[in-house]
Amino acid sequence: MTRDEAFLQFLLRMGDNTLILGHRVSEWCGHSPVLEEDIALANTALDLIGQTQFWLGLAGEVQGDGKSADDIAFLRDVWDFRNLLLVEVPNGDFGRTLMRQFLFDAWHSIQLGHLMKSSDERVAAIAEKASKEVAYHLERSADTVVGLGDGTEESHRRMQESLDYLWPYVGEMFQSDEVDAEMVAAGIAPDPASLRDDYDALITRILADATLTIPDSRFGHKGGRTGKMHTEHLGHLLTQMQWLQRAYPGSNW
Amino acid sequence: MYAQMVKSEAAQDDPEKLAAFQARIDAGEKIEPKDWMPAAYRKTLIRQIGQHAHSEIVGQLPEGNWITRAPTLERKAILLAKVQDEAGHGLYLYCAAETLGVSRDELTEMLLDGRMKYSSIFNYPTLNWSDIGAVGWLVDGAAIINQVPLQRTSFGPYSRAMIRVCKEESFHARQGFDAIRKMAEGTPEQKKMAQDSVNRLWFPALMMFGPSDKESVHSEQSMAWKIKMNTNDELRQKFVDQTVPQIEFLGLDLPDPGIKWNEERGHYDYTDPDWSEFFDVIKGNGPCNTDRLAARNKAWDDGAWVRDGLMAHAKKKAAASVAAE
């Protein structure tokens, strides 16, 4: 694998995470429990889609065959996507959506903190901008997880169920492979495995405040960030997201 | 019926206070929440601001219908930003209504059980991508024509909310025109979508100004109180005059064969919307009324545990901070 090939994979991983999670969050539009949450969910989705434009735009540049961020987002099939499985699982109830957001934001904020020091200036610049937005995402998702975990009996039960359901998707964030080794060697991005301790410290503190129990198992589903095996859900998401581009190819929108 | 109710309530107010109130309005003063106001003024404003707020909230649904299918990342981002603005407008308007002594939860319950209405336009479906452009251009365009005069309305909090809302709405209308222009100038299929949107949404947009002046029951008193600044027909004519040249600019066919420039009046003539359809929609028989209300009820009911959970947590935190003092 050349450095550029690895760099492209890395950029797709970053951009596909924000694209797919942004899409999922946007599915809430008009259906959330309270008006402030409608605003916050739309705002989060908007930030994530904005970050996607940067990551996938840079991916197109690195790929060098004239593809735009839109081409990459709307014209690839499931096996070409490099997002974590965590971000493609369906929203479930509001509790699961916010728990997923928290588990992702915690990783995302740590990851972006490292990327701000990337040897690649373009990566550092995107990370710098995104980290400001993600700091807010994390503050909000953590507060909500605490509020609902330590709320009523029902909200506590639902949040624990969400954590139990999502926990097997956490491990994938820290699985390193040859792409990561190449990124570490180039000083572009950190080794995913090296982020685990900071992550555990952060989520342990918040989930303790939320009076929730982290499951014992360290088992982790994998296959999203390598593209080897996504969940069945991603295909349905793409069917909707890519429909216009697929049905009316070559149009300007 | 409502006009009769307004009349009988007005009769209960002290005539001297009423006269002084009217004098303040005539002098162009703003009425603030703590000022004395006639019961019917309060009631009418709660109805009007509440309906406006509800429209912003229900309006998220037809636009949200296309967020997950937006054709480019930029269009998706623009639509998300717009829907977020609409929810924000809902929030300011509920706050303005709350200054009149009604809570947001009470207003929400009245929306959910059908006692309060929202704009009839949101009971129409968004069926192709071009509808998103048309909603921005025609629907927000019509809303702006309704709302610009309300920036001068007599009730201070409503006037201030309208000033903010209008700024954002004019951005929405411009982005809507830009989106539909891309379609009108695009492939034959895209142009067909644009034409379909204009044909379907034209009359519902005209209905947004409310029934013809001959049939409008709220007008006279509301105009005297500067809650309403122009008649429905004046505003509708303004919309037609502004929009017809834009349709022609887009190279689309006019959606109404009755549209013709009338030299004598200095306005476009147009065919009146089918008012029996309008009254059907108002009564709950529009194409989407049942689904829209069901979606809002489901969101509210499914979210009860979230609101309860967050309230319970806030109480625990407050109790803990009192205990610590």
Side-chain angles (χ1 to χ4, degrees):
Chain A
M1 179 177 292
T2 67
R3 181 150 298 176
D4 269 358
E5 282 166 356
F7 190 29
L8 175 62
Q9 291 299 308
F10 163 78
L11 292 168
L12 292 174
R13 287 172 180 182
M14 292 304 294
D16 286 345
N17 278 337
T18 52
L19 172 61
I20 301 301
L21 185 59
H23 181 100
R24 281 289 185 225
V25 174
S26 78
E27 290 173 0
W28 273 98
C29 176
H31 302 283
S32 91
V34 66
L35 187 48
E36 284 80 354
E37 293 300 335
D38 271 320
I39 297 173
L41 288 162
N43 186 38
T44 304
L46 177 57
D47 288 345
L48 291 169
I49 296 302
Q51 293 167 21
T52 305
Q53 289 177 289
F54 289 116
W55 290 125
L56 296 186
L58 183 52
E61 213 175 286
V62 169
Q63 199 168 16
D65 57 4
K67 286 210 169 76
S68 67
D70 284 335
D71 293 334
I72 297 175
F74 293 97
L75 300 175
R76 285 177 303 155
D77 206 339
V78 167
W79 54 69
D80 294 320
F81 275 76
R82 295 291 179 267
N83 58 280
L84 298 160
L85 300 177
L86 175 72
V87 299
E88 71 193 45
V89 295
N91 286 335
D93 67 7
F94 181 80
R96 192 199 281 177
T97 296
L98 265 290
M99 180 61 81
R100 181 185 61 198
Q101 190 71 42
F102 167 66
L103 293 171
F104 178 78
D105 291 342
W107 169 81
H108 202 197
S109 68
I110 295 167
Q111 167 83 341
L112 291 171
H114 287 273
L115 295 182
M116 282 161 66
K117 294 172 276 174
S118 173
S119 62
D120 187 287
E121 281 173 15
R122 297 164 299 179
V123 169
I126 298 171
E128 172 93 32
K129 182 178 185 306
S131 69
K132 293 186 187 115
E133 295 164 351
V134 170
Y136 161 73
H137 298 174
L138 176 62
E139 186 183 326
R140 166 180 178 261
S141 62
D143 280 355
T144 312
V145 163
V146 171
L148 293 174
D150 182 32
T152 59
E153 208 172 300
E154 182 182 5
S155 71
H156 176 84
R157 173 181 59 74
R158 285 174 180 261
M159 294 313 281
Q160 186 64 53
E161 283 170 8
S162 300
L163 178 58
D164 294 346
Y165 175 81
L166 294 168
W167 186 249
Y169 295 100
V170 165
E172 192 186 7
M173 296 190 272
F174 307 101
Q175 284 164 0
S176 306
D177 64 8
E178 54 178 346
V179 170
D180 301 301
E182 194 58 40
M183 290 300 94
V184 172
I188 291 176
D191 177 10
S194 71
L195 309 183
R196 181 94 208 209
D197 287 349
D198 284 351
Y199 182 83
D200 284 342
L202 173 58
I203 67 161
T204 302
R205 179 167 58 79
I206 300 294
L207 293 173
D209 284 352
T211 69
L212 296 171
T213 308
I214 297 178
D216 276 339
S217 169
R218 278 244 163 176
F219 171 77
H221 293 296
K222 58 186 177 200
R225 71 198 297 275
T226 59
K228 281 191 185 131
M229 195 161 71
H230 280 279
T231 66
E232 289 180 343
H233 308 297
L234 184 60
H236 293 279
L237 185 156
L238 297 184
T239 304
Q240 198 169 73
M241 186 177 88
Q242 298 182 334
W243 177 70
L244 277 173
Q245 289 265 3
R246 299 285 193 182
Y248 302 98
S251 310
N252 282 314
W253 303 96
Chain B
M1 192 185 85
Y2 191 82
Q4 285 171 349
M5 186 169 70
V6 169
K7 210 170 168 188
S8 63
E9 279 172 10
Q12 291 163 13
D13 287 315
D14 176 345
E16 268 180 41
K17 281 186 174 171
L18 263 178
F21 178 80
Q22 189 64 50
R24 287 187 64 193
I25 288 182
D26 294 343
E29 281 181 44
K30 291 280 179 247
I31 307 301
E32 295 299 334
K34 287 184 177 160
D35 297 346
W36 184 86
M37 63 185 80
Y41 177 87
R42 185 184 300 276
K43 192 161 194 163
T44 305
L45 272 173
I46 289 174
R47 180 180 61 85
Q48 189 172 331
I49 302 174
Q51 277 187 15
H52 190 167
H54 297 329
S55 302
E56 302 282 0
I57 303 312
V58 178
Q60 294 180 93
L61 296 171
E63 298 200 289
N65 184 38
W66 280 92
I67 286 181
T68 55
R69 290 177 290 169
T72 67
L73 295 170
E74 189 184 8
R75 292 284 172 207
K76 196 190 282 280
I78 292 171
L79 187 53
L80 276 163
K82 176 175 189 303
V83 173
Q84 188 189 350
D85 284 351
E86 310 290 9
H89 297 170
L91 199 56
Y92 325 139
L93 286 161
Y94 282 126
C95 292
E98 281 184 322
T99 67
L100 291 160
V102 61
S103 74
R104 199 210 302 180
D105 283 357
E106 285 171 287
L107 289 168
T108 300
E109 278 162 24
M110 287 193 270
L111 166 69
L112 295 179
D113 67 18
R115 277 176 290 160
M116 284 184 86
K117 304 289 182 206
Y118 51 89
S119 177
S120 57
I121 191 74
F122 300 120
N123 289 314
Y124 289 87
T126 50
L127 299 179
N128 80 58
W129 167 252
S130 184
D131 286 4
I132 294 305
V135 165
W137 165 46
L138 298 177
V139 173
D140 291 345
I144 291 168
I145 289 178
N146 261 325
Q147 289 163 18
V148 162
L150 289 174
Q151 296 179 107
R152 293 179 285 114
T153 190
S154 61
F155 186 55
Y158 193 26
S159 155
R160 292 189 286 274
M162 283 300 100
I163 290 169
R164 274 186 81 165
V165 167
C166 281
K167 281 186 192 146
E168 291 180 349
E169 291 294 357
S170 64
F171 160 74
H172 296 170
R174 279 201 301 274
Q175 71 76 33
F177 187 75
D178 175 65
I180 201 164
R181 185 177 173 182
K182 268 267 165 41
M183 304 293 285
E185 294 174 353
T187 64
E189 291 88 350
Q190 286 177 302
K191 189 164 180 179
K192 189 174 164 190
M193 290 181 212
Q195 187 68 56
D196 175 50
S197 300
V198 172
N199 292 350
R200 240 179 323 102
L201 290 167
W202 171 256
F203 285 110
L206 292 189
M207 293 177 195
M208 286 175 68
F209 299 95
S212 159
D213 298 345
K214 301 182 282 281
E215 300 190 40
S216 180
V217 288
H218 303 307
S219 286
E220 216 173 301
Q221 179 65 77
S222 290
M223 302 243 321
W225 278 338
K226 295 190 186 166
I227 292 174
K228 195 178 169 111
M229 313 294 285
N230 302 84
T231 72
N232 295 349
D233 287 334
E234 281 167 9
L235 294 171
R236 189 166 14 251
Q237 183 69 59
K238 195 167 181 210
F239 175 76
V240 171
D241 290 349
Q242 171 183 304
T243 311
V244 168
Q246 294 172 340
I247 300 174
E248 286 169 342
F249 175 85
L250 290 172
L252 297 174
D253 294 335
L254 293 171
D256 163 16
I259 294 176
K260 266 193 206 76
W261 178 252
N262 182 326
E263 196 64 52
E264 208 173 300
R265 292 201 306 125
H267 291 291
Y268 284 96
D269 290 338
Y270 60 92
T271 310
D272 248 356
D274 173 356
W275 291 114
S276 67
E277 177 182 318
F278 173 77
F279 288 111
D280 272 342
V281 175
I282 295 288
K283 276 185 224 137
N285 295 322
C288 301
N289 296 58
T290 308
D291 290 346
R292 298 284 188 249
L293 263 191
R296 289 309 304 165
N297 272 288
K298 184 173 188 310
W300 188 247
D301 295 345
D302 288 355
W305 72 269
V306 175
R307 297 188 301 275
D308 292 347
L310 293 175
M311 286 300 289
H313 179 73
K315 279 185 193 149
K316 284 186 206 177
K317 258 176 63 173
S321 77
V322 169
E325 274 167 19

